[in-house]
């Protein structure tokens, strides 16, 4: 999203684009439907997520909403589908709240996510990973001043940007995003490896057995040997986390990957960002003594 906003051309190797994930599309559709209740595509996606609502029922409901002068009010007044259960009044209440904009942005995103998660969780076996995606999307959303601006910026994502490499223009440089697995056999002039910290490399999901740890070590080796001229291993200082105590730091300090031990550090140049301030090169000179501590102690004993 940030690369698109800054007009930086890029291609991506491996994996699915963040905005192409089902759960991310569902959340964006929910917000688009609240922003424009006559958005039939977004409304159809949201309604068919509910139990007991198929394409035919969703079409009839959208026709009814489109004809009403106040679409969100018509949604709240529509008869609840028999098999939709409690999900239907919850959706109507959510749309009324988002339409009124009472909560404000980005609290509206959090309210929409709270409604969506119980609907989506039974549909995905890997829900915990997908939930982290939604939290990341919420963090992105908090950087925008309004819901309208957030949705408008996301539409700038080019529809023809896929996970396959496309030939760039001859006079244009571009950035390559790649998973480590998809980078095998490739070589680039400059390589930046992100999250070279325990929990990232090695992954916290790949440390169950010595064999899995060795596989993680080989992956880091693959990533490092993709660089022809310049290699950067990025170690974050801290990870921001949720569900911390109210008086806590709301972050955890990161540890450098166990694969880069102390004996290897002289092979690297430490570069900090932002740069650390330069320390004073001369030791401070002591000033004149203001208190004769010995005389003070002797006078106390004399008394």
């Amino acid at each position: 999203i940030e690369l698109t906003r800054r007009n930086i051309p890029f291609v991506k190797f491996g994996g699915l684009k963040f905005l192409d994930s089902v759960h991310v599309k569902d959340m964006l559709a929910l917000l688009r439907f609240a922003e424009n209740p006559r958005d039939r595509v977004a409304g159809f996606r949201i309604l068919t997520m509910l139990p007991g609502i198929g394409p035919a029922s969703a079409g009839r409901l959208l026709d009814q909403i489109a004809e009403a002068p106040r679409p969100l009010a018509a949604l709240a007044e529509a008869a609840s589908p028999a098999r939709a259960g409690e999900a239907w009044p919850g959706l109507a209440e959510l749309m009324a709240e988002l339409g009124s904009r009472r909560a404000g942005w980005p609290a509206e995103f959090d309210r929409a996510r709270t409604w969506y998660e119980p609907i989506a969780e039974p549909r995905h076996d890997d829900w915990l990973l997908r939930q982290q995606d939604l939290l990341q999307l919420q963090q992105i959303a908090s950087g925008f001043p309004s819901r309208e601006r957030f949705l408008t910026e996301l539409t700038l994502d080019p529809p023809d940007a896929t996970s396959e490499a496309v030939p760039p223009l001859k006079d244009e440089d571009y950035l390559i995003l790649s998973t480590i697995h998809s980078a095998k056999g490739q070589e680039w002039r400059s390589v930046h490896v992100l999250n070279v910290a325990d929990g990232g490399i090695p992954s916290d999901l790949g440390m169950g057995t010595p064999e899995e740890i060795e596989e993680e070590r080989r992956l880091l080796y693959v990533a490092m040997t993709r660089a022809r001229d310049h290699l950067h291993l990025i170690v974050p200082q801290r990870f921001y986390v949720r569900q911390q105590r109210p008086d806590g730091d709301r972050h955890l300090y990161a540890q450098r990957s166990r694969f880069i031990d102390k004996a290897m550090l002289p092979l690297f140049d430490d570069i900090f960002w932002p740069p650390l301030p330069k320390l004073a090169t001369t030791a401070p000179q002591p000033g004149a003594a203001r208190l004769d501590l010995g005389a003070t102690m002797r006078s106390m004993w004399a008394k």
Side-chain angles (χ1 to χ4, degrees):
I1 294 172
E2 191 65 24
L3 292 174
T4 301
R5 290 179 60 193
R6 295 176 181 270
N7 198 28
I8 298 176
F10 69 95
V11 294
K12 185 172 181 291
F13 292 92
L16 188 67
K17 285 185 62 183
F18 184 70
L19 295 179
D20 288 340
S21 304
V22 172
H23 50 296
V24 173
K25 284 186 174 181
D26 288 345
M27 275 298 302
L28 295 179
L30 192 59
L31 296 173
R32 286 192 176 108
F33 191 48
E35 187 70 22
N36 178 17
R38 290 187 170 86
D39 186 336
R40 195 174 183 89
V41 175
F44 187 85
R45 186 181 186 96
I46 296 304
L47 292 178
T48 52
M49 285 197 308
L50 303 182
I53 298 183
S57 301
R60 287 194 297 270
L61 287 168
L62 291 172
D63 290 339
Q64 181 179 348
I65 293 172
E67 296 172 357
R70 298 173 56 204
L72 292 180
L75 179 66
E77 296 169 359
S80 174
R83 292 181 294 173
E86 298 179 358
W88 176 260
L91 175 62
E93 179 182 352
L94 173 67
M95 288 295 107
E97 182 178 343
L98 296 182
S100 67
R101 303 180 186 271
R102 291 192 303 268
W105 183 260
E108 296 167 352
F109 190 103
D110 188 68
R111 177 70 180 88
R113 182 180 60 80
T114 302
W115 175 86
Y116 171 72
E117 287 183 345
I119 301 294
E121 183 174 2
R123 302 162 55 194
H124 302 288
D125 295 333
D126 57 346
W127 173 246
L128 290 179
L129 295 176
R130 294 175 183 266
Q131 187 180 41
Q132 294 302 315
D133 286 346
L134 297 183
L135 295 176
Q136 180 66 33
L137 185 62
Q138 182 171 345
Q139 183 177 352
I140 295 172
S142 64
F144 292 85
S146 66
R147 182 175 68 200
E148 180 183 10
R149 179 72 176 272
F150 172 64
L151 294 173
T152 301
E153 292 285 352
L154 290 192
T155 59
L156 296 177
D157 191 61
D160 56 348
T162 66
S163 296
E164 301 176 357
V166 294
L169 299 177
K170 292 182 179 181
D171 59 345
E172 184 178 65
D173 198 2
Y174 62 102
L175 178 69
I176 294 176
L177 306 177
S178 175
T179 63
I180 296 179
H181 287 89
S182 299
K184 292 179 180 179
Q186 302 289 335
E187 185 182 58
W188 297 293
R189 183 175 60 85
S190 180
V191 170
H192 298 254
V193 186
L194 306 182
N195 284 343
V196 186
D198 264 18
I201 303 175
S203 168
D204 53 1
L205 300 177
M207 295 189 287
T209 64
E211 292 76 14
E212 290 177 334
I213 294 179
E214 286 306 307
E215 176 61 23
E216 293 288 311
R217 189 193 306 273
R218 284 190 289 271
L219 283 176
L220 179 58
Y221 174 80
V222 168
M224 294 173 62
T225 53
R226 300 309 93 196
R228 185 170 66 243
D229 298 328
H230 305 284
L231 172 66
H232 302 262
L233 302 184
I234 312 299
V235 182
Q237 183 187 38
R238 65 189 69 177
F239 292 106
Y240 289 91
V241 295
R242 297 170 58 87
Q243 299 177 348
Q244 289 283 80
R245 293 177 53 182
D247 56 346
D249 291 331
R250 297 194 179 277
H251 67 262
L252 300 174
Y253 286 101
Q255 285 189 319
R256 184 183 67 249
S257 172
R258 65 189 69 184
F259 301 145
I260 309 295
D261 55 25
K262 289 184 178 180
M264 299 173 60
L265 293 183
L267 304 175
F268 294 89
D269 294 325
D270 271 342
I271 301 175
F272 293 91
W273 188 88
L276 296 178
K278 292 184 178 181
L279 300 178
T281 57
T282 58
Q285 300 297 322
R290 298 182 180 181
L291 176 65
D292 188 344
L293 185 59
T296 302
M297 295 298 295
R298 285 192 295 271
S299 65
M300 291 175 61
W301 283 106
K303 294 179 181 179

